[in-house]
Amino acid sequence: AQTVTQSQPEMSVQEAETVTLSCTYDTSENNYYLFWYKQPPSRQMILVIRQEAYKQQNATENRFSVNFQKAAKSFSLKISDSQLGDTAMYFCASHYGGATNKLIFGTGTLLAVQP
Amino acid sequence: GAVVSQHPSWVICKSGTSVKIECRSLDFQATTMFWYRQFPKQSLMLMATSNEGSKATYEQGVEKDKFLINHASLTLSTLTVTSAHPEDSSFYICSARFGRSYNEQFFGPGTRLTVL
């Protein structure tokens, strides 16, 4: 079975500090995509960053970057210079092709940025 | 990114009635739409995948006679909760993508359903 695991239910970080959210996944496929989504209190799902599995270079979007370790099946999200607006639930997700062809979400990490 | 809307944003209904939720892609053709359910402080649970012009594919454990999904056009999918009961109260989210293989999914803002 294809799974996505987030082992940190809640995390807290001080404003302007850096925080890393963990995610591991399990698949036997070679081609897949990995995502981090943010769900703020409004509950609108927002795509934070995306990584194609065939790309070795880690994806970066402004203050957000990932550490993609394909062999270890690890996909962590680093948030630099944390801001109050980063407070949200963060979901790691993967998309596998073939018969699956859908997003599989982890259980989420609730991040609180403290002033 | 592309915009997906949902209507209504919240609805309260009496037990035993049916409720319809609409999901629209506003600026692209959504070949595939997805319906999720989310309980408080939990992850998104995929209920079904619908391709335009085809019957929806339901995930294991989801009652297709209770959660009717129609994807009659490339911009509109509807989820009808039939004979709703309090346990159906939840947050329902749709997403849409162009194409039947991998492509970015765009999420709607969600609909909060409360069944009294």
Short mmCIF file of all heavy atoms in Angstrom, two decimals, chain A residues 10 33 35 37 39 42-47 50 52 89 91 95 101-103 105-108 110, chain B residues 34 36 38-44 46 49 59 91 93 97 100-102 104-105 107-109 112:
data_model
loop_
_atom_site.label_atom_id
_atom_site.label_comp_id
_atom_site.label_asym_id
_atom_site.label_seq_id
_atom_site.Cartn_x
_atom_site.Cartn_y
_atom_site.Cartn_z
N GLU A 10 1.91 18.08 16.19
CA GLU A 10 1.92 19.51 16.47
C GLU A 10 3.36 19.98 16.62
O GLU A 10 4.22 19.25 17.13
CB GLU A 10 1.16 19.82 17.77
CG GLU A 10 -0.31 19.50 17.73
CD GLU A 10 -1.03 19.95 18.98
OE1 GLU A 10 -0.50 20.80 19.71
OE2 GLU A 10 -2.13 19.42 19.24
N TYR A 33 5.05 12.34 -7.59
CA TYR A 33 5.20 13.74 -7.19
C TYR A 33 4.91 13.84 -5.70
O TYR A 33 4.06 13.13 -5.16
CB TYR A 33 4.22 14.62 -7.96
CG TYR A 33 4.43 14.60 -9.46
CD1 TYR A 33 3.92 13.57 -10.25
CD2 TYR A 33 5.14 15.62 -10.10
CE1 TYR A 33 4.12 13.54 -11.61
CE2 TYR A 33 5.33 15.60 -11.47
CZ TYR A 33 4.82 14.56 -12.22
OH TYR A 33 5.02 14.54 -13.57
N PHE A 35 4.18 16.69 -2.46
CA PHE A 35 3.67 18.04 -2.22
C PHE A 35 3.63 18.34 -0.73
O PHE A 35 3.50 17.45 0.11
CB PHE A 35 2.23 18.18 -2.74
CG PHE A 35 2.03 17.76 -4.16
CD1 PHE A 35 1.78 16.43 -4.48
CD2 PHE A 35 2.09 18.69 -5.18
CE1 PHE A 35 1.59 16.03 -5.79
CE2 PHE A 35 1.89 18.31 -6.51
CZ PHE A 35 1.64 16.99 -6.79
N TYR A 37 1.08 20.88 1.38
CA TYR A 37 -0.06 21.78 1.35
C TYR A 37 -0.21 22.43 2.72
O TYR A 37 0.06 21.83 3.76
CB TYR A 37 -1.36 21.03 1.03
CG TYR A 37 -1.53 20.65 -0.42
CD1 TYR A 37 -1.10 19.43 -0.90
CD2 TYR A 37 -2.15 21.54 -1.30
CE1 TYR A 37 -1.27 19.08 -2.23
CE2 TYR A 37 -2.33 21.20 -2.65
CZ TYR A 37 -1.89 19.98 -3.09
OH TYR A 37 -2.06 19.64 -4.41
N GLN A 39 -3.03 24.37 5.19
CA GLN A 39 -4.45 24.64 5.42
C GLN A 39 -4.58 25.57 6.62
O GLN A 39 -4.53 25.13 7.76
CB GLN A 39 -5.24 23.34 5.65
CG GLN A 39 -6.75 23.57 5.69
CD GLN A 39 -7.53 22.29 5.91
OE1 GLN A 39 -7.16 21.44 6.72
NE2 GLN A 39 -8.64 22.13 5.19
N SER A 42 -8.83 29.27 7.68
CA SER A 42 -9.91 29.40 6.69
C SER A 42 -10.27 28.06 6.06
O SER A 42 -11.32 27.92 5.44
CB SER A 42 -9.50 30.38 5.59
OG SER A 42 -8.45 29.81 4.81
N ARG A 43 -9.36 27.10 6.17
CA ARG A 43 -9.50 25.73 5.67
C ARG A 43 -9.33 25.62 4.15
O ARG A 43 -9.57 24.56 3.58
CB ARG A 43 -10.82 25.09 6.13
CG ARG A 43 -10.93 25.08 7.64
CD ARG A 43 -12.06 24.25 8.15
NE ARG A 43 -11.72 22.83 8.11
CZ ARG A 43 -12.49 21.89 8.68
NH1 ARG A 43 -13.59 22.23 9.32
NH2 ARG A 43 -12.16 20.62 8.60
N GLN A 44 -8.93 26.70 3.50
CA GLN A 44 -8.61 26.63 2.07
C GLN A 44 -7.26 25.93 1.92
O GLN A 44 -6.27 26.35 2.52
CB GLN A 44 -8.52 28.05 1.48
CG GLN A 44 -7.99 28.09 0.05
CD GLN A 44 -8.98 27.57 -0.97
OE1 GLN A 44 -10.09 28.06 -1.09
NE2 GLN A 44 -8.55 26.55 -1.73
N MET A 45 -7.21 24.91 1.11
CA MET A 45 -5.97 24.19 0.85
C MET A 45 -5.10 25.00 -0.11
O MET A 45 -5.55 25.40 -1.18
CB MET A 45 -6.27 22.82 0.23
CG MET A 45 -6.99 21.87 1.18
SD MET A 45 -5.94 21.30 2.51
CE MET A 45 -4.92 20.11 1.63
N ILE A 46 -3.86 25.20 0.29
CA ILE A 46 -2.93 26.02 -0.50
C ILE A 46 -1.68 25.20 -0.78
O ILE A 46 -1.07 24.66 0.16
CB ILE A 46 -2.54 27.29 0.27
CG1 ILE A 46 -3.78 28.13 0.58
CG2 ILE A 46 -1.53 28.12 -0.53
CD1 ILE A 46 -3.54 29.23 1.60
N LEU A 47 -1.30 25.10 -2.04
CA LEU A 47 -0.09 24.38 -2.40
C LEU A 47 1.12 25.22 -2.00
O LEU A 47 1.26 26.36 -2.41
CB LEU A 47 -0.06 24.09 -3.90
CG LEU A 47 1.20 23.40 -4.42
CD1 LEU A 47 1.35 22.02 -3.81
CD2 LEU A 47 1.17 23.32 -5.95
N ARG A 50 6.17 21.79 -4.45
CA ARG A 50 6.02 20.53 -5.18
C ARG A 50 7.40 20.01 -5.59
O ARG A 50 8.28 20.79 -5.94
CB ARG A 50 5.15 20.76 -6.40
CG ARG A 50 5.12 19.61 -7.40
CD ARG A 50 4.19 19.89 -8.55
NE ARG A 50 4.40 21.20 -9.12
CZ ARG A 50 3.47 21.88 -9.81
NH1 ARG A 50 2.29 21.35 -9.97
NH2 ARG A 50 3.73 23.05 -10.31
N GLU A 52 9.15 16.90 -8.04
CA GLU A 52 9.05 15.73 -8.92
C GLU A 52 10.12 14.73 -8.50
O GLU A 52 11.27 15.10 -8.30
CB GLU A 52 9.25 16.13 -10.38
CG GLU A 52 8.14 16.96 -10.96
CD GLU A 52 8.33 18.45 -10.82
OE1 GLU A 52 9.14 18.86 -9.97
OE2 GLU A 52 7.70 19.20 -11.56
N MET A 89 -2.29 24.12 9.47
CA MET A 89 -2.06 22.69 9.37
C MET A 89 -1.31 22.46 8.08
O MET A 89 -1.67 23.02 7.04
CB MET A 89 -3.39 21.94 9.37
CG MET A 89 -3.27 20.44 9.30
SD MET A 89 -2.68 19.71 10.83
CE MET A 89 -4.24 19.48 11.67
N PHE A 91 0.02 19.58 5.39
CA PHE A 91 -0.15 18.21 4.94
C PHE A 91 0.90 17.87 3.89
O PHE A 91 1.08 18.62 2.92
CB PHE A 91 -1.54 18.00 4.34
CG PHE A 91 -2.67 18.11 5.32
CD1 PHE A 91 -3.44 19.25 5.37
CD2 PHE A 91 -2.96 17.06 6.17
CE1 PHE A 91 -4.49 19.36 6.28
CE2 PHE A 91 -4.01 17.15 7.08
CZ PHE A 91 -4.77 18.31 7.13
N HIS A 95 1.53 11.94 -5.10
CA HIS A 95 0.68 11.53 -6.22
C HIS A 95 1.42 10.46 -6.99
O HIS A 95 2.55 10.66 -7.44
CB HIS A 95 0.37 12.70 -7.13
CG HIS A 95 -0.52 12.31 -8.28
ND1 HIS A 95 -0.04 11.69 -9.42
CD2 HIS A 95 -1.86 12.41 -8.46
CE1 HIS A 95 -1.05 11.45 -10.24
NE2 HIS A 95 -2.15 11.88 -9.68
N ASN A 101 -3.31 7.13 -9.27
CA ASN A 101 -3.70 8.38 -9.94
C ASN A 101 -4.50 9.32 -9.04
O ASN A 101 -5.52 9.85 -9.43
CB ASN A 101 -4.50 8.08 -11.21
CG ASN A 101 -4.50 9.27 -12.15
OD1 ASN A 101 -3.65 10.15 -12.06
ND2 ASN A 101 -5.47 9.30 -13.04
N LYS A 102 -4.06 9.49 -7.81
CA LYS A 102 -4.74 10.39 -6.89
C LYS A 102 -3.75 10.83 -5.83
O LYS A 102 -2.69 10.23 -5.67
CB LYS A 102 -5.93 9.69 -6.24
CG LYS A 102 -5.55 8.43 -5.46
CD LYS A 102 -6.77 7.67 -5.00
CE LYS A 102 -6.37 6.38 -4.28
NZ LYS A 102 -7.54 5.54 -3.93
N LEU A 103 -4.13 11.87 -5.12
CA LEU A 103 -3.30 12.35 -4.02
C LEU A 103 -3.53 11.50 -2.79
O LEU A 103 -4.67 11.17 -2.46
CB LEU A 103 -3.64 13.80 -3.69
CG LEU A 103 -3.06 14.90 -4.58
CD1 LEU A 103 -3.62 16.25 -4.14
CD2 LEU A 103 -1.55 14.92 -4.50
N PHE A 105 -2.74 11.75 1.23
CA PHE A 105 -2.34 12.73 2.23
C PHE A 105 -1.82 12.07 3.50
O PHE A 105 -2.29 11.01 3.90
CB PHE A 105 -3.52 13.63 2.61
CG PHE A 105 -3.89 14.64 1.56
CD1 PHE A 105 -4.83 14.34 0.59
CD2 PHE A 105 -3.29 15.88 1.55
CE1 PHE A 105 -5.17 15.27 -0.38
CE2 PHE A 105 -3.62 16.82 0.58
CZ PHE A 105 -4.56 16.51 -0.38
N GLY A 106 -0.89 12.75 4.15
CA GLY A 106 -0.50 12.38 5.49
C GLY A 106 -1.52 12.92 6.48
O GLY A 106 -2.49 13.59 6.11
N THR A 107 -1.28 12.64 7.75
CA THR A 107 -2.23 13.02 8.80
C THR A 107 -2.12 14.48 9.22
O THR A 107 -2.99 14.98 9.92
CB THR A 107 -2.05 12.14 10.03
OG1 THR A 107 -0.66 12.15 10.40
CG2 THR A 107 -2.48 10.71 9.75
N GLY A 108 -1.06 15.14 8.78
CA GLY A 108 -0.95 16.57 9.05
C GLY A 108 -0.11 16.92 10.27
O GLY A 108 0.00 16.13 11.22
N LEU A 110 0.18 20.31 12.80
CA LEU A 110 -0.34 21.63 13.16
C LEU A 110 0.83 22.49 13.64
O LEU A 110 1.44 22.21 14.66
CB LEU A 110 -1.39 21.51 14.25
CG LEU A 110 -2.02 22.83 14.71
CD1 LEU A 110 -2.70 23.53 13.54
CD2 LEU A 110 -3.00 22.58 15.85
N PHE B 34 -12.40 15.75 -7.72
CA PHE B 34 -12.30 14.89 -6.55
C PHE B 34 -13.15 15.47 -5.42
O PHE B 34 -13.24 16.68 -5.26
CB PHE B 34 -10.84 14.79 -6.06
CG PHE B 34 -9.87 14.29 -7.10
CD1 PHE B 34 -9.29 15.17 -8.00
CD2 PHE B 34 -9.54 12.95 -7.16
CE1 PHE B 34 -8.38 14.72 -8.96
CE2 PHE B 34 -8.64 12.48 -8.11
CZ PHE B 34 -8.07 13.37 -9.01
N TYR B 36 -13.56 15.26 -1.25
CA TYR B 36 -12.94 14.85 0.00
C TYR B 36 -13.88 15.19 1.16
O TYR B 36 -14.69 16.11 1.09
CB TYR B 36 -11.61 15.60 0.23
CG TYR B 36 -10.54 15.34 -0.80
CD1 TYR B 36 -10.47 16.09 -1.98
CD2 TYR B 36 -9.56 14.37 -0.59
CE1 TYR B 36 -9.47 15.87 -2.91
CE2 TYR B 36 -8.55 14.15 -1.51
CZ TYR B 36 -8.52 14.91 -2.66
OH TYR B 36 -7.52 14.70 -3.58
N GLN B 38 -13.50 15.95 5.41
CA GLN B 38 -12.51 16.23 6.45
C GLN B 38 -13.21 16.45 7.79
O GLN B 38 -14.05 17.35 7.91
CB GLN B 38 -11.67 17.46 6.10
CG GLN B 38 -10.54 17.72 7.07
CD GLN B 38 -9.72 18.94 6.72
OE1 GLN B 38 -10.23 19.90 6.17
NE2 GLN B 38 -8.42 18.89 7.03
N PHE B 39 -12.85 15.65 8.76
CA PHE B 39 -13.34 15.83 10.12
C PHE B 39 -12.38 16.77 10.85
O PHE B 39 -11.22 16.92 10.45
CB PHE B 39 -13.46 14.49 10.84
CG PHE B 39 -14.57 13.63 10.29
CD1 PHE B 39 -14.27 12.52 9.52
CD2 PHE B 39 -15.90 13.94 10.52
CE1 PHE B 39 -15.28 11.73 8.99
CE2 PHE B 39 -16.90 13.16 10.00
CZ PHE B 39 -16.61 12.06 9.23
N PRO B 40 -12.86 17.41 11.93
CA PRO B 40 -12.02 18.38 12.64
C PRO B 40 -10.67 17.81 13.04
O PRO B 40 -10.58 16.69 13.56
CB PRO B 40 -12.87 18.72 13.87
CG PRO B 40 -14.28 18.50 13.43
CD PRO B 40 -14.21 17.32 12.50
N LYS B 41 -9.63 18.56 12.76
CA LYS B 41 -8.26 18.22 13.12
C LYS B 41 -7.79 16.91 12.50
O LYS B 41 -6.89 16.27 13.02
CB LYS B 41 -8.10 18.17 14.64
CG LYS B 41 -8.35 19.51 15.30
CD LYS B 41 -8.02 19.49 16.78
CE LYS B 41 -8.24 20.87 17.41
NZ LYS B 41 -7.90 20.88 18.84
N GLN B 42 -8.41 16.52 11.40
CA GLN B 42 -7.98 15.32 10.71
C GLN B 42 -7.60 15.65 9.27
O GLN B 42 -7.78 16.77 8.80
CB GLN B 42 -9.09 14.26 10.74
CG GLN B 42 -9.36 13.71 12.13
CD GLN B 42 -10.28 12.51 12.10
OE1 GLN B 42 -10.43 11.84 11.09
NE2 GLN B 42 -10.91 12.24 13.24
N SER B 43 -7.09 14.65 8.60
CA SER B 43 -6.65 14.84 7.22
C SER B 43 -7.83 14.75 6.27
O SER B 43 -8.96 14.47 6.65
CB SER B 43 -5.61 13.78 6.88
OG SER B 43 -5.04 14.04 5.62
N LEU B 44 -7.55 15.00 5.00
CA LEU B 44 -8.56 14.87 3.97
C LEU B 44 -8.72 13.40 3.61
O LEU B 44 -7.74 12.69 3.38
CB LEU B 44 -8.16 15.65 2.72
CG LEU B 44 -8.41 17.15 2.72
CD1 LEU B 44 -7.50 17.87 3.68
CD2 LEU B 44 -8.26 17.71 1.30
N LEU B 46 -10.29 11.02 0.79
CA LEU B 46 -10.87 11.00 -0.55
C LEU B 46 -12.12 10.14 -0.55
O LEU B 46 -12.10 9.00 -0.09
CB LEU B 46 -9.86 10.46 -1.56
CG LEU B 46 -10.34 10.38 -3.00
CD1 LEU B 46 -10.61 11.78 -3.56
CD2 LEU B 46 -9.29 9.67 -3.89
N THR B 49 -13.65 9.93 -7.08
CA THR B 49 -13.03 10.61 -8.21
C THR B 49 -14.03 10.60 -9.35
O THR B 49 -14.63 9.54 -9.64
CB THR B 49 -11.77 9.86 -8.67
OG1 THR B 49 -10.85 9.81 -7.58
CG2 THR B 49 -11.12 10.55 -9.86
N GLU B 59 -14.23 5.51 -3.30
CA GLU B 59 -13.25 4.83 -2.47
C GLU B 59 -13.95 3.77 -1.62
O GLU B 59 -15.17 3.84 -1.35
CB GLU B 59 -12.54 5.84 -1.57
CG GLU B 59 -11.70 6.84 -2.33
CD GLU B 59 -10.56 6.20 -3.11
OE1 GLU B 59 -9.72 5.50 -2.50
OE2 GLU B 59 -10.51 6.39 -4.36
N PHE B 91 -16.87 18.58 6.91
CA PHE B 91 -16.39 19.58 5.96
C PHE B 91 -16.09 18.86 4.67
O PHE B 91 -15.30 17.91 4.65
CB PHE B 91 -15.14 20.26 6.54
CG PHE B 91 -14.72 21.50 5.83
CD1 PHE B 91 -15.51 22.64 5.89
CD2 PHE B 91 -13.53 21.56 5.12
CE1 PHE B 91 -15.11 23.81 5.24
CE2 PHE B 91 -13.13 22.72 4.47
CZ PHE B 91 -13.93 23.85 4.53
N ILE B 93 -14.71 19.01 0.78
CA ILE B 93 -13.83 19.78 -0.09
C ILE B 93 -13.78 19.13 -1.46
O ILE B 93 -13.65 17.91 -1.56
CB ILE B 93 -12.39 19.85 0.48
CG1 ILE B 93 -12.39 20.44 1.89
CG2 ILE B 93 -11.48 20.65 -0.45
CD1 ILE B 93 -11.01 20.38 2.55
N ARG B 97 -8.80 19.10 -11.56
CA ARG B 97 -7.57 19.16 -12.34
C ARG B 97 -7.91 19.00 -13.81
O ARG B 97 -8.95 18.44 -14.18
CB ARG B 97 -6.57 18.09 -11.90
CG ARG B 97 -6.89 16.70 -12.40
CD ARG B 97 -5.82 15.69 -12.03
NE ARG B 97 -6.20 14.37 -12.51
CZ ARG B 97 -5.87 13.24 -11.91
NH1 ARG B 97 -5.14 13.26 -10.81
NH2 ARG B 97 -6.25 12.09 -12.41
N ARG B 100 -6.52 13.57 -17.17
CA ARG B 100 -6.82 12.37 -16.39
C ARG B 100 -5.58 11.77 -15.76
O ARG B 100 -5.67 10.90 -14.89
CB ARG B 100 -7.52 11.33 -17.26
CG ARG B 100 -8.88 11.81 -17.75
CD ARG B 100 -9.53 10.84 -18.69
NE ARG B 100 -10.73 11.45 -19.28
CZ ARG B 100 -11.96 11.10 -18.96
NH1 ARG B 100 -12.17 10.15 -18.10
NH2 ARG B 100 -13.00 11.71 -19.51
N SER B 101 -4.41 12.22 -16.16
CA SER B 101 -3.21 11.73 -15.51
C SER B 101 -2.70 12.83 -14.60
O SER B 101 -3.42 13.76 -14.27
CB SER B 101 -2.16 11.34 -16.56
OG SER B 101 -1.86 12.45 -17.37
N TYR B 102 -1.45 12.74 -14.18
CA TYR B 102 -0.99 13.74 -13.22
C TYR B 102 -1.13 15.15 -13.74
O TYR B 102 -0.78 15.47 -14.86
CB TYR B 102 0.48 13.52 -12.84
CG TYR B 102 0.97 14.72 -12.09
CD1 TYR B 102 0.52 14.97 -10.80
CD2 TYR B 102 1.76 15.69 -12.71
CE1 TYR B 102 0.88 16.12 -10.13
CE2 TYR B 102 2.13 16.84 -12.04
CZ TYR B 102 1.68 17.05 -10.76
OH TYR B 102 2.03 18.19 -10.10
N GLU B 104 -1.65 19.29 -11.59
CA GLU B 104 -1.91 19.92 -10.30
C GLU B 104 -3.40 19.96 -10.02
O GLU B 104 -4.21 20.24 -10.89
CB GLU B 104 -1.35 21.33 -10.26
CG GLU B 104 -1.54 22.02 -8.91
CD GLU B 104 -0.89 23.39 -8.86
OE1 GLU B 104 -0.08 23.69 -9.76
OE2 GLU B 104 -1.20 24.14 -7.94
N GLN B 105 -3.76 19.66 -8.77
CA GLN B 105 -5.14 19.78 -8.33
C GLN B 105 -5.34 21.14 -7.70
O GLN B 105 -4.49 21.62 -6.95
CB GLN B 105 -5.47 18.70 -7.30
CG GLN B 105 -5.62 17.31 -7.85
CD GLN B 105 -6.11 16.33 -6.79
OE1 GLN B 105 -6.86 16.69 -5.89
NE2 GLN B 105 -5.69 15.09 -6.91
N PHE B 107 -7.94 23.29 -5.29
CA PHE B 107 -8.94 22.99 -4.28
C PHE B 107 -9.98 24.10 -4.13
O PHE B 107 -9.65 25.29 -4.21
CB PHE B 107 -8.27 22.75 -2.92
CG PHE B 107 -7.56 21.44 -2.84
CD1 PHE B 107 -6.27 21.30 -3.33
CD2 PHE B 107 -8.18 20.32 -2.31
CE1 PHE B 107 -5.61 20.09 -3.28
CE2 PHE B 107 -7.53 19.09 -2.24
CZ PHE B 107 -6.24 18.98 -2.74
N GLY B 108 -11.21 23.69 -3.90
CA GLY B 108 -12.25 24.63 -3.55
C GLY B 108 -12.12 25.03 -2.08
O GLY B 108 -11.35 24.41 -1.34
N PRO B 109 -12.89 26.01 -1.65
CA PRO B 109 -12.79 26.51 -0.28
C PRO B 109 -13.50 25.64 0.74
O PRO B 109 -13.38 25.88 1.94
CB PRO B 109 -13.44 27.89 -0.36
CG PRO B 109 -14.42 27.76 -1.49
CD PRO B 109 -13.79 26.83 -2.48
N ARG B 112 -19.15 23.45 4.72
CA ARG B 112 -19.42 22.86 6.04
C ARG B 112 -20.88 22.44 6.09
O ARG B 112 -21.78 23.26 5.96
CB ARG B 112 -19.14 23.86 7.16
CG ARG B 112 -19.42 23.29 8.55
CD ARG B 112 -19.07 24.28 9.64
NE ARG B 112 -17.67 24.66 9.59
CZ ARG B 112 -16.68 23.90 10.05
NH1 ARG B 112 -16.95 22.73 10.60
NH2 ARG B 112 -15.45 24.32 9.97
#
